[in-house]
Structures are given as C-alpha cells and as structure tokens.
Amino acid sequence: MRSASNILRLGVKELYSLARDPVLLLLIVYTFTVAIYSVAHGVQTEVKNAAIAVVDEDRSALSERIRGAFLQPYFQPAALIGLNEVDPAMDEGRYSFVLDIPPNFQADVQAGNSPTVQLQVDATAMTLAGNGARYIQYIVQTELIKFLSRSETEVELPATLVTRARFNPNLDSSWFMAVMQIVSNVTILAIILSGAAVIREREHGTLEHLLVMPVTPGEIMAAKVWANGAVIVLASVLSLHLVVQGLLGVLISGSIGLFAFGAGVYLFAVASLGVMLSTVATTMPQFGLLSIPVFLVLNLLSGGVTPLESMPETLQSIMQASPTTHFVKFSQAVLYRGAGLSVVWPQILMVAGIGLVFFTCALLRFRKTISMSH
C-alpha cells in the first residue's frame, strides 16, 4: 500500500510538472488534432484528380470515346498532346499518365486484330501509379466492350464478379489514415514524454531530491510511466471522439473503451522504452536524435504502413518482438472491424509481456543511472 501511494503521489507530481511545460502541452494538443486532421485529408492513396494526357494517332470515334471516358474526380480532363511532346511532358512532371493510341486503332479492333495501346506512367508516386494504371486499364477495356457491342450495356459474360468492401465501403483513404495516425502518434508521444520526464529531472537537479526521499527507483519509474501514459490515453480517446468521428466523420465500428484499455497496456511498454532511451542519452537533444530512428523502425515495420505479410519472413519474425506490431493489429481489429476482447486478447497479452521485459530492462538501466549520479 505504501508503494502504491508513493507511485500515485509521484505520478501526480509528474502531471503537475507536465502542466507547467507549455511546449509539451502544445505538442500533445497539436499531435492529436491538427496532425490527425491534416494527414487524413492531405495523404491520398486512391486515384483523385490525376493528370492524364492522350496521344491520339487514330483520330477515330473509338479513340475519342476513350479520351472522353476519363472523368473527374478521378482524373483531370484528358489533354490531347502530340507524340513529340510526351518525353518533355513526362520529364517535367506535368502528367502522371500518358496514353498513346496507335494509328488505325479502330480499324484493327473492328477487324479482330489485337492493336497495342501504350500507357506511360510516372511511377515517382508508386501508389498513384499502381492504382491509376489499373483504373485506366479498366476504363479502356470497358469502352472497347461497349464499342464492340454497339450499346451502353456490357457484353454478357458467363460469370460475374461482385465486390463488396467491408469496414470502409467507399474505400476512403482518410478513414484509414486518421486511425493509423493516432496509433503512430501514440507511439512517438509515449517515447518523448516518458523520456523527457527523466531527462527533465536530471537537468533540473530534482532527481537528487527524489533519491533522498523514501521511494525506490521502481516507484519513480512506474509513476512516470502511468502519468504520461494516462495523458496520452485521454488525448487519444478525445481525438477519436472529436477529430476522427466529429470532424472527419469516420465510422468507428468497435469499442473506444476497449481501445483505451489496450492503449494503456501498450503505453506501459512504449513508455518503458522511452525511459530506457533516456538512460542512454544525457541531454534532451541526444534523446531526440536517439528516439527518431527507434520510432521510424517501430512505425514503418509495424504493419500499419505496409502489410506485415509483404515483408521478408525473417523480418516478420523479428518484428514480433515489437509491441507496436501487436498494437497495430489490435487497433485495426477493434476500431475498424469491431472486434471484442475474445478476439484481441492474444495481442493484449503479447504487448503486456513485451512491456514487462521493457520495464525490467529500463528499471535496471534506471537504477544504474541513479547510482552513478548519486
């Protein structure tokens, strides 16, 4: 009971210290409001307003029909350019796609030949290039079918593929980006706040004051973990309600309370990692430089940016030791698919187990740092 009381009181002291730091408070507010909204609206993975040009060497009714099939909001009105303009236009980045329709295209199609239509793609933006190329291929094939059938109805096929998109029926990338940005920001803030709390004590000379009090290093560290974790959980829950659901209109299928519980377990692990990093760095600039590569690895290889299954098997196995990998899987299951505790309990246990290892390692480092400073 005495240990719990010490942890509670030290955590309250940590909250007061955080409340007197306007820079960190501004960072928390910005991270869970402006950063979420701007990324969700600014980062687009679907084809939208893509610049396309057509080299029409046929000048037939079919080629005109294909050129007119590129409509907004997916594409800008297709520009008609000459063959000699293609390379300069692509080099200057004026068009993401250039479709070259060869001479005698309509005549070859009507004769049953197989003319080749060339599509040049600026693959600088890989997601736009891949999705846009598929869109264009589908548009050209659809117009060919309509032209050959001489009607606006598709040719009767022996089988029909019906696609149903679950959890995001409009395939809106902002739904995905908004939630995953919260997961990403939870990680970086947990590392920054917990590590900054330790370094702030060291720089202000208050760490020595704690050493003369009847508290243990474990209690000091646990207080910093729960206090900073509680702030981040509260900020993320408010962001889900006010920004994601309110401003962005994203449908949250699952329980935000369950997400908050899982986030609390996850913050126990990541905040411990932040404390451990703060025992390696001696100043705030050093801590910032050390945190950046750690956060980038945790974020980029967690499965939130690219599917974990697309990575090499060895890397997939290594990333199972990262709590971020399991938290991303947990968050997607709860917030996107409405999964309950019966589905996500393995991820919670994995995060808790990894967090216990991080906390133990951080505590050993923290004790060593305190003994050296003392």
Side-chain angles (χ1 to χ4, degrees):
M1 292 298 295
R2 179 181 177 182
S3 179
S5 177
N6 288 341
I7 294 174
L8 177 62
R9 292 176 182 275
L10 288 172
V12 172
K13 179 196 77 69
E14 192 66 33
L15 293 176
Y16 276 117
S17 178
L18 179 61
R20 292 192 297 269
D21 193 329
V23 175
L24 287 181
L25 288 178
L26 182 61
L27 175 64
I28 294 171
V29 173
Y30 170 82
T31 300
F32 286 105
T33 54
V34 177
I36 302 294
Y37 186 85
S38 59
V39 170
H41 270 283
V43 179
Q44 301 288 334
T45 58
E46 64 267 18
V47 179
K48 187 174 182 180
N49 205 36
I52 183 170
V54 175
V55 179
D56 190 353
E57 300 183 80
D58 190 33
R59 300 287 179 167
S60 63
L62 178 56
S63 63
E64 182 68 24
R65 181 171 184 157
I66 291 175
R67 184 162 66 93
F70 298 105
L71 304 174
Q72 294 179 324
Y74 303 108
F75 296 94
Q76 299 177 14
L80 187 61
I81 63 175
L83 188 61
N84 60 332
E85 300 178 67
V86 174
D87 288 342
M90 295 291 285
D91 291 341
E92 295 172 10
R94 283 187 283 157
Y95 303 109
S96 299
F97 307 95
V98 175
L99 187 70
D100 186 357
I101 301 176
N104 304 317
F105 176 67
Q106 178 175 315
D108 288 338
V109 169
Q110 290 174 326
N113 299 326
S114 300
T116 299
V117 178
Q118 184 184 64
L119 176 65
Q120 297 194 43
V121 181
D122 182 356
T124 304
M126 293 184 296
T127 302
L128 174 64
N131 293 340
R134 286 191 292 270
Y135 271 51
I136 295 171
Q137 182 182 14
Y138 173 79
I139 289 172
V140 172
Q141 289 177 345
T142 301
E143 293 304 318
L144 284 172
I145 291 174
K146 289 179 179 180
F147 178 79
L148 290 175
S149 65
R150 298 297 183 181
S151 69
E152 293 299 320
T153 59
E154 295 185 356
V155 176
E156 188 69 25
L157 299 176
T160 302
L161 176 65
V162 179
T163 303
R164 292 187 176 91
R166 300 184 62 187
F167 314 120
N168 188 356
N170 294 326
L171 303 180
D172 189 348
S173 62
S174 66
W175 285 34
F176 173 80
M177 295 304 302
V179 174
M180 295 315 301
Q181 189 65 20
I182 286 183
V183 173
S184 174
N185 291 352
V186 163
T187 304
I188 186 62
L189 268 186
I191 294 175
I192 290 177
L193 292 186
S194 58
V198 175
I199 294 179
R200 185 170 56 239
E201 299 272 18
R202 187 185 301 140
E203 290 181 342
H204 293 173
T206 54
L207 191 60
E208 287 75 11
H209 296 169
L210 293 175
L211 295 178
V212 299
M213 298 175 62
V215 293
T216 64
E219 293 170 354
I220 297 173
M221 181 175 158
K224 296 185 180 302
V225 169
W226 85 253
N228 291 286
V231 171
I232 298 174
V233 169
L234 177 61
S236 61
V237 169
L238 289 176
S239 181
L240 282 172
H241 280 294
L242 302 178
V243 179
V244 176
Q245 289 184 312
L247 292 178
L248 296 172
V250 177
L251 177 64
I252 301 296
S253 301
S255 168
I256 294 182
L258 178 59
F259 170 77
F261 171 73
V265 178
Y266 173 67
L267 285 165
F268 164 68
V270 183
S272 300
L273 176 61
V275 173
M276 184 163 58
L277 294 178
S278 70
T279 61
V280 177
T282 56
T283 63
M284 193 67 76
Q286 288 182 0
F287 173 72
L289 292 175
L290 183 61
S291 301
I292 291 174
V294 173
F295 165 71
L296 288 177
V297 171
L298 291 178
N299 185 47
L300 294 178
L301 302 182
S302 64
V305 178
T306 57
L308 199 65
E309 295 78 10
S310 65
M311 302 177 190
E313 293 186 1
T314 302
L315 188 57
Q316 293 182 38
S317 302
I318 293 174
M319 290 310 297
Q320 296 303 313
S322 168
T324 312
T325 302
H326 303 285
F327 182 60
V328 166
K329 189 174 182 179
F330 160 84
S331 301
Q332 291 178 343
V334 172
L335 298 179
Y336 290 145
R337 300 188 289 273
L341 184 60
S342 60
V343 176
V344 297
W345 66 264
Q347 285 75 47
I348 296 178
L349 284 183
M350 285 296 296
V351 172
I354 297 172
L356 187 60
V357 173
F358 281 3
F359 186 86
T360 303
C361 295
L363 181 58
L364 294 175
R365 286 285 312 171
F366 189 58
R367 283 174 173 169
K368 183 178 179 179
T369 303
I370 288 180
S371 63
M372 290 174 60
S373 62
H374 187 65

